[in-house]
């Protein structure tokens, strides 16, 4: 009886342990015995996080030849609209928000009703949300758009460049010098976005392929100015009641000193030495 128990234990041990010939038992793992498997140096999985709120900002693979052919081919009607991705439509909603903000400013100048300029502030904030989600939707779907970068730049110019300048004009920054400063702010945003599109491929990258820093202030940082103007509207400090008044009133060079904040913002956007690390 004892001998039989010993033999049973030996049989069980031979079943669990690999044989000398290198064969593995049925209990061995899939990677066991694979001499080329290296868990440390194994290539990363291409699967993207399944949450739209993921912090993963690694770049997507560029569009393939099939995507390019779809845009350039004349074989299909409405080829551009048919080949837009979901993230592209979200980016267009960002541009729509900026345009509607400008329209609200025009309504304020025509009627003088403050709720129109408050609506303009709201739509810029809405555009910021769309700007936040378009890249995450693209990563969630793991699809890069052929026009995504260009659409994003144009939408940002409308929502975070032209629209804030329109709000500033509507609430009282209307002298010739004021308008020139606001124009400088918009042109700096235009130049900053164009520079980004040209130099993004040469920017230093981290291990995931994402750029290490922003070169100059990003366009959405103009939301700080939008927030300040929203506070002025809420307090009724607009038009003739703007803070610090007007300098050189009645002269050709009259301007509101507060408008210089747009000048500083514009300089920060086109600065090449001002580098902000990305989160």
């Amino acid at each position: 009886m004892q001998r039989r128990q010993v033999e049973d234990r030996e049989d069980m041990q031979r079943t669990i342990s690999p044989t000398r010939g290198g064969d593995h038992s049925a209990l061995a793992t899939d990677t066991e015995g694979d001499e080329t498997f290296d868990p440390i140096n194994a290539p990363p999985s291409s699967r993207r996080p399944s949450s739209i709120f993921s912090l993963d900002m690694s770049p997507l693979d560029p569009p393939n030849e099939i995507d390019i052919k779809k845009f350039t081919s004349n074989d299909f009607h409405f080829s551009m609209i048919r080949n837009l991705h979901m993230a592209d439509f979200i980016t267009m909603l960002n541009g729509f928000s900026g345009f509607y903000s400008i329209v609200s400013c025009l309504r304020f100048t025509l009627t003088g009703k403050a709720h129109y300029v408050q609506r303009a502030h709201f739509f810029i904030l809405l555009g910021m949300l769309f700007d936040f989600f378009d890249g995450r939707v693209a990563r969630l779907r793991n699809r890069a758009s052929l026009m995504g970068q260009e659409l994003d730049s144009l939408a940002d110019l409308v929502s975070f460049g032209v629209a804030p300048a329109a709000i500033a004009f509507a609430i009282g920054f209307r002298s010739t010098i004021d308008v020139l400063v606001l124009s400088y702010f918009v042109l700096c945003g235009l130049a900053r976005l164009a520079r980004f599109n040209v130099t993004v491929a040469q920017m230093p990258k981290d291990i995931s392929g994402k750029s290490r820093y922003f070169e100059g202030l990003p366009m959405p940082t103009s939301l700080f100015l939008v927030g300040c103007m929203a506070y002025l509207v809420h307090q009724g400090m607009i038009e003739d009641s703007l803070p610090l008044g007007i300098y050189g009133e009645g002269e050709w060079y009259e301007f509101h000193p507060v408008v210089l904040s747009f000048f500083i913002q514009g300089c920060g956007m086109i600065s090449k030495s001002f580098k902000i690390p990305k989160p």
Side-chain angles (χ1 to χ4, degrees):
M1 183 68 178
Q2 293 179 353
R3 179 180 179 183
R4 185 174 179 178
Q5 292 177 350
V6 172
E7 290 176 352
D8 291 342
R9 285 197 298 269
E10 291 177 351
D11 292 339
M12 184 179 297
Q13 186 176 3
R14 284 195 298 268
T15 302
I16 298 176
S17 302
T19 61
R20 293 182 181 179
D23 296 334
H24 290 71
S25 68
L27 300 178
T29 61
D30 293 338
T31 58
E32 201 173 334
D34 187 357
E35 297 178 356
T36 62
F37 178 78
D38 187 353
I40 298 179
N41 298 320
S45 173
S46 59
R47 184 180 179 182
R48 295 276 172 178
S50 58
S51 173
I52 197 172
F53 298 101
S54 172
L55 297 178
D56 178 25
M57 294 297 292
S58 58
L60 295 170
D61 295 332
N64 53 37
E65 295 181 0
I66 297 178
D67 292 331
I68 298 175
K69 185 177 180 180
K70 287 180 180 179
F71 270 103
T72 58
S73 175
N74 295 323
D75 298 336
F76 305 99
H77 296 291
F78 303 104
S79 59
M80 187 188 75
I81 297 177
R82 293 172 59 180
N83 290 298
L84 291 176
H85 296 183
M86 182 182 294
D88 295 332
F89 288 105
I90 296 177
T91 302
M92 288 185 175
L93 288 175
N94 177 16
F96 163 77
S97 300
F99 172 74
Y100 202 91
S101 175
I102 297 172
V103 172
S104 297
C105 291
L106 296 176
R107 288 175 173 171
F108 171 73
T109 56
L110 290 174
T111 65
K113 296 180 179 180
H115 72 272
Y116 283 121
V117 74
Q118 292 171 347
R119 185 180 300 174
H121 293 131
F122 169 76
F123 272 93
I124 291 181
L125 180 61
L126 190 63
M128 180 63 186
L129 293 178
F130 288 131
D131 186 54
F132 174 83
F133 281 118
D134 59 2
R136 281 154 180 78
V137 169
R139 287 172 176 81
L140 183 65
R141 295 171 58 86
N142 199 20
R143 296 191 64 186
S145 170
L146 193 64
M147 298 197 307
Q149 179 174 294
E150 285 70 21
L151 279 176
D152 190 70
S153 295
L154 294 173
D156 284 355
L157 178 64
V158 176
S159 295
F160 310 126
V162 180
I167 293 176
F169 179 86
I171 65 175
F173 298 97
R174 299 172 184 171
S175 73
T176 301
I177 302 300
D178 291 340
V179 173
L180 289 177
V181 173
L182 295 176
S183 300
Y184 172 80
F185 164 76
V186 174
L187 294 177
C188 285
L190 176 63
R192 192 247 185 254
L193 293 170
R195 182 183 65 184
F196 172 80
N197 289 344
V198 171
T199 63
V200 62
Q202 287 75 37
M203 294 286 288
K205 306 287 194 301
D206 58 17
I207 191 172
S208 65
K210 182 181 69 173
S211 299
R212 293 181 177 178
Y213 52 79
F214 293 105
E215 194 172 65
L217 291 175
M219 281 293 294
T221 56
S222 63
L223 284 176
F224 173 77
L225 297 176
V226 174
C228 292
M229 290 187 292
Y231 175 79
L232 295 179
V233 173
H234 183 264
Q235 298 295 323
M237 303 170 64
I238 58 176
E239 296 181 332
D240 295 335
S241 300
L242 286 169
L244 304 182
I246 185 170
Y247 177 79
E249 186 174 4
E251 302 293 338
W252 65 269
Y253 55 82
E254 66 177 1
F255 71 98
H256 295 84
V258 180
V259 80
L260 295 178
S261 59
F262 284 87
F263 178 81
I264 296 173
Q265 175 75 14
C267 292
M269 288 191 295
I270 61 174
S271 172
K272 190 172 179 62
S273 58
F274 191 36
K275 296 178 173 59
I276 303 176
K278 287 190 175 183

Short mmCIF file of all heavy atoms in Angstrom, two decimals, residues 41-47:
data_model
loop_
_atom_site.label_atom_id
_atom_site.label_comp_id
_atom_site.label_asym_id
_atom_site.label_seq_id
_atom_site.Cartn_x
_atom_site.Cartn_y
_atom_site.Cartn_z
N ASN A 41 11.14 43.63 -22.71
CA ASN A 41 11.34 44.31 -23.98
C ASN A 41 10.24 44.00 -24.99
O ASN A 41 10.40 44.25 -26.18
CB ASN A 41 12.69 43.92 -24.58
CG ASN A 41 13.85 44.32 -23.69
OD1 ASN A 41 13.83 45.41 -23.11
ND2 ASN A 41 14.84 43.46 -23.56
N ALA A 42 9.16 43.41 -24.51
CA ALA A 42 8.07 43.08 -25.43
C ALA A 42 7.47 44.36 -25.98
O ALA A 42 7.37 45.37 -25.28
CB ALA A 42 7.00 42.27 -24.71
N PRO A 43 7.04 44.39 -27.26
CA PRO A 43 6.47 45.60 -27.85
C PRO A 43 5.16 45.96 -27.17
O PRO A 43 4.40 45.09 -26.75
CB PRO A 43 6.24 45.21 -29.32
CG PRO A 43 6.15 43.72 -29.30
CD PRO A 43 7.08 43.27 -28.21
N PRO A 44 4.89 47.25 -27.00
CA PRO A 44 3.64 47.67 -26.33
C PRO A 44 2.43 47.30 -27.16
O PRO A 44 2.48 47.24 -28.38
CB PRO A 44 3.81 49.19 -26.22
CG PRO A 44 4.75 49.55 -27.32
CD PRO A 44 5.69 48.38 -27.46
N SER A 45 1.34 47.07 -26.45
CA SER A 45 0.10 46.73 -27.13
C SER A 45 -0.44 47.95 -27.86
O SER A 45 -0.32 49.08 -27.40
CB SER A 45 -0.92 46.23 -26.11
OG SER A 45 -2.18 46.04 -26.72
N SER A 46 -1.04 47.72 -29.03
CA SER A 46 -1.59 48.82 -29.82
C SER A 46 -2.99 49.20 -29.38
O SER A 46 -3.59 50.11 -29.93
CB SER A 46 -1.62 48.44 -31.31
OG SER A 46 -2.42 47.28 -31.50
N ARG A 47 -3.52 48.51 -28.40
CA ARG A 47 -4.86 48.79 -27.93
C ARG A 47 -4.89 50.11 -27.17
O ARG A 47 -4.07 50.38 -26.32
CB ARG A 47 -5.35 47.66 -27.04
CG ARG A 47 -6.80 47.84 -26.58
CD ARG A 47 -7.22 46.69 -25.71
NE ARG A 47 -8.59 46.87 -25.24
CZ ARG A 47 -9.19 46.03 -24.41
NH1 ARG A 47 -8.54 44.96 -23.98
NH2 ARG A 47 -10.42 46.26 -24.03
#
